[in-house]
Amino acid sequence: MTVVDRDRVVAALDEAFDAFVDLVADLAPEEWDAPTACPGWSVKDNASHVIGTEAMLLGRPQPEVDLPEDLPHVRNDIGRFNEVWVEHYRHRPPAEVLADLREIVAERRAALAGMDQEAFDQESFTPAGPDTYGRFMRIRVMDIWMHEQDVREAVGRPGHVAGLAPELALDEITAAIGYVVGKRAAAPAGSGVRFELTEPLARRIDVEVTDRARPVERLDGRPTVTLTVPGLHFTRLCGGRGADPGVVEITGDAALGRAVVDNLGFML
């Protein structure tokens, strides 16, 4: 079970909420229809998704929406849940979506203000499987920030690559990266994978493979392969956003490096 600092995560959520709302509030109506790198979704669809997940966390019922069975970007039950909220708002004007976004964020802030560390340590459902409510909230930071970056990329307004929210987004990616290296890329026991993330979002992430792959403070000895990539680009690859894998510089075991790069897109 993952114990996270409640105050730090709530502060990061506040930052993520503010950045996302401020960004979309400043968009022209036509920019809400811009396609994003999040498969199948426009800018407005990204905002609708944020509303839907926060509404679920408040216990609001899911809208009654008929969805086609063969949507290519919907791959599982969570994706289908997300798409219901997206479809619910798809033909509504941006002003209405923005108003609902502001309302839901205000309600979620109030709910989080009433939760202490003990509440954050309670077992909960999360998109990554059973874990603590605090882990779920760290995943929410990552998700909101990732969708903010989807919007920024779509409308040509880069930013928010420094601060607590992107830092916690990288913390969550780091926690999941062992799955990419060990399960998806099938790195052999005894190997070590190093991610050298350069500005923006500079960080070193070391993954040691023994009985399973796990992030460690630092590898013992030289890494089997080192992947050097700008940190923001790394998050886009992990998000399956169609970022160019050719940007990644591979040093060491080229075959293992390519396997890791090819399997980085682990998010829904």
Side-chain angles (χ1 to χ4, degrees), residues 161-174:
V161 291
L164 197 52
E167 182 179 333
L168 261 69
L170 267 184
D171 286 350
E172 181 55 38
I173 290 173
T174 300

Side-chain angles (χ1 to χ4, degrees), residues 17-203:
F17 283 143
D18 283 343
F20 191 90
V21 173
D22 289 348
L23 174 63
V24 298
D26 195 45
L27 298 180
E30 62 272 14
E31 290 180 296
W32 285 72
D33 293 325
T36 72
C38 194
W41 285 3
S42 67
V43 167
K44 184 167 67 175
D45 296 337
N46 280 266
S48 302
H49 163 61
V50 172
I51 294 171
T53 305
E54 299 305 317
M56 179 271 291
L57 288 164
L58 288 168
R60 293 190 181 183
Q62 192 177 30
E64 294 185 6
V65 173
D66 291 327
L67 289 179
E69 293 293 331
D70 58 348
L71 293 170
H73 57 284
V74 175
R75 302 178 181 177
N76 50 41
D77 289 341
I78 293 178
R80 195 161 185 84
F81 168 85
N82 292 338
E83 200 67 22
V84 166
W85 285 95
V86 168
E87 184 62 29
H88 175 68
Y89 282 104
R90 181 156 280 144
H91 302 294
R92 301 194 180 191
E96 183 176 332
V97 179
L98 178 60
D100 283 3
L101 177 64
R102 283 175 163 151
E103 177 188 343
I104 211 77
V105 164
E107 289 190 34
R108 281 288 291 144
R109 287 189 202 272
L112 289 164
M115 301 183 73
D116 58 12
Q117 184 66 50
E118 183 178 358
F120 266 55
D121 294 345
Q122 295 299 306
E123 185 172 356
S124 170
F125 159 82
T126 85
D131 209 323
T132 60
Y133 186 83
R135 169 80 187 282
F136 196 173
M137 294 305 97
R138 190 175 71 183
I139 292 172
R140 290 304 305 134
V141 173
M142 179 186 70
D143 188 64
I144 295 166
W145 180 79
M146 287 288 293
H147 288 296
E148 178 198 339
Q149 294 304 314
D150 290 333
V151 174
R152 289 186 178 280
E153 185 179 87
V155 299
R157 302 190 190 190
H160 197 198
V161 291
L164 197 52
E167 182 179 333
L168 261 69
L170 267 184
D171 286 350
E172 181 55 38
I173 290 173
T174 300
I177 204 68
Y179 165 73
V180 172
V181 171
K183 293 293 187 182
R184 291 173 62 96
S191 60
V193 177
R194 172 167 291 166
F195 298 89
E196 287 284 9
L197 309 185
T198 61
E199 295 289 351
L201 299 179
R203 179 179 294 195

